[in-house]
Amino acid sequence: MTPPPPLGRSRLGGGPTFDSALDDTELVTVRDELARGRWAETRRLLADTGDDWDLRGHRLTVLAEVPASTAWGREWLLAEPDSADATALLACAAVHRAVRRKGDAANARNLCRAAARMAPHDPTPWLGLLLLAHAGVTDDEPARCFGQVRARHPEHHHAHHLMAACLAAHKAGHDDPLHEVYDFAAWAAEQAPADSPLALLPVVAHAERFRALARAGTVPRDPAVSGHWAGRRARQVLKTAFDWWLEWDVNDTDDDADDAAEWARAGRAPAGTGRTAGTGGAAGTGGSPRTARKPAAPPHPRHKVDLNFLAHAKLHEGRLAEAAALLIRIGPHVTREPWAYPDRDPKAAYRAARRAALGSR
């Protein structure tokens, strides 16, 4: 359907910057300080993060992208030899380099294991090992690394995304509607609390499976003509995920949420009134009802990642008003994945999505 006319103002800004820090403004500031060699702010940030494992993993993997993170991490470790945070930063920096084939994967693995020994309750070193396994630069079994992460934090967002990508690559020569990645994502969504963004993992799994199938030549490489989002399973997964988003994200009081809700309801009003997150059961499963809880504040550090996947899926499902609402909520926080799937220019793909859904560049 044709989306509603543009709202009175737009906060979408310019083109996508693909900043991995997303909307963590404090992280952006500290990353800039680390690039200048001021690691004391990194020390403070990680201490303040504490055992919020999703936030810690997000911040460490972003800080690891700073080209000088290894040098400043070593200086920090010289000053504080017993610092688990400095050790974790060094490990994540080594992982970042190894994944990009610019560093020694064996050294990165050893640093992750050293970090795991120093902080046995922290899932982040095991996240580093999972990143190495996912990139294929070590022979570690992804499922084992994922199990170690999940034993320490069962809802670990980044780890579930990585595991879905690993599973989606299996048996890419056949488009199996009962593929294991769909079962994995449905199981994870069912196990998570009602307000967990893992409710959207089935959408992520669907996109990851498309990438694997398209790269194998099993389905067309153009997502618009692949038909991958047209099947019964896809439609059910996307409806459940979008309803979850209306319940748990578009209930904030900020202007972007209000605008996103206006666009969403112009395209499709949520089913019923007084609905709770349990109405549709687990994402993509039709499982047992969830118990409604108040949304967490502040938002999950990687929730914009999920919204990019959901907007991408809604676009290719042909639900332009719903895609528009999600694009508004994403704002400038655009991620390369899944816009780049299977091998597209993510900036061009995202701009095309905005033109289709919002009539803007």
Side-chain angles (χ1 to χ4, degrees):
M1 64 172 291
T2 302
L7 300 169
R9 62 193 184 282
S10 173
R11 284 171 299 280
L12 292 175
T17 59
F18 302 118
D19 188 348
S20 57
L22 301 172
D23 55 354
D24 190 336
T25 55
E26 188 176 11
L27 174 60
V28 171
T29 300
V30 171
R31 180 182 60 188
D32 291 344
E33 291 293 300
L34 181 62
R36 296 183 179 94
R38 299 167 186 165
W39 53 263
E41 283 301 297
T42 297
R43 180 182 185 275
R44 178 198 58 77
L45 180 70
L46 293 177
D48 290 347
T49 303
D51 61 358
D52 184 336
W53 300 127
D54 278 312
L55 185 59
R56 178 177 172 82
H58 172 61
R59 287 176 164 175
L60 275 166
T61 53
V62 171
L63 291 169
E65 296 173 2
V66 174
S69 58
T70 297
W72 299 125
R74 285 173 179 159
E75 181 176 302
W76 178 7
L77 199 59
L78 283 172
E80 299 179 13
D82 296 328
S83 172
D85 289 343
T87 303
L89 177 61
L90 274 175
C92 289
V95 167
H96 179 76
R97 288 182 57 80
V99 166
R100 281 151 186 78
R101 273 63 174 183
K102 295 181 179 179
D104 183 356
N107 177 60
R109 176 198 278 162
N110 290 337
L111 287 171
C112 286
R113 289 176 174 171
R117 288 192 296 270
M118 185 169 285
H121 298 297
D122 183 3
T124 311
W126 291 98
L127 176 66
L129 290 169
L130 180 55
L131 282 162
L132 293 171
H134 169 253
V137 297
T138 66
D139 58 2
D140 291 328
E141 176 57 45
R144 178 177 179 273
C145 299
F146 173 74
Q148 292 290 340
V149 174
R150 200 171 189 279
R152 290 159 175 80
H153 181 42
E155 299 169 48
H156 201 288
H157 187 272
H158 197 168
H160 278 83
H161 275 232
L162 290 169
M163 195 62 208
C166 290
L167 291 174
H170 296 172
K171 301 178 182 177
H174 174 55
D175 189 3
D176 181 3
L178 302 178
H179 191 272
E180 61 186 307
V181 72
Y182 301 132
D183 288 339
F184 166 76
W187 166 81
E190 172 70 23
Q191 295 295 311
D195 60 352
S196 170
L198 290 183
L200 302 187
L201 191 65
V203 177
V204 176
H206 209 74
E208 295 294 351
R209 185 61 178 160
F210 164 72
R211 178 170 67 162
L213 292 170
R215 286 184 172 178
T218 308
V219 300
R221 300 177 79 84
D222 184 350
V225 300
S226 68
H228 189 68
W229 286 269
R232 182 175 178 274
R233 173 190 288 274
R235 290 195 303 271
Q236 179 58 47
V237 161
L238 292 180
K239 180 184 183 303
T240 302
F242 192 77
D243 285 348
W244 180 92
W245 176 67
L246 287 174
E247 179 71 22
W248 293 105
D249 193 34
V250 184
N251 54 6
D252 294 345
T253 56
D254 64 29
D255 290 338
D256 283 338
D258 291 343
D259 284 0
E262 183 176 336
W263 279 73
R265 289 169 182 129
R268 175 172 66 83
T273 57
R275 174 180 44 79
T276 67
T279 302
T285 65
S288 60
R290 298 170 179 270
T291 301
R293 299 191 325 194
K294 289 184 66 177
H300 191 281
R302 284 170 46 87
H303 74 296
K304 298 290 187 183
V305 176
D306 294 300
L307 296 191
N308 275 267
F309 274 91
L310 186 53
H312 176 267
K314 281 294 177 182
L315 176 78
H316 295 302
E317 188 191 17
R319 310 285 292 202
L320 296 186
E322 294 170 9
L326 290 153
L327 290 170
I328 290 171
R329 194 69 172 120
I330 289 165
H333 306 295
V334 186
T335 58
R336 292 185 182 277
E337 296 80 15
W339 303 106
Y341 290 176
D343 51 10
R344 308 175 79 201
D345 176 351
K347 185 173 289 189
Y350 171 74
R351 284 176 170 167
R354 277 185 50 174
R355 284 195 299 272
L358 292 161
S360 63
R361 290 184 173 274

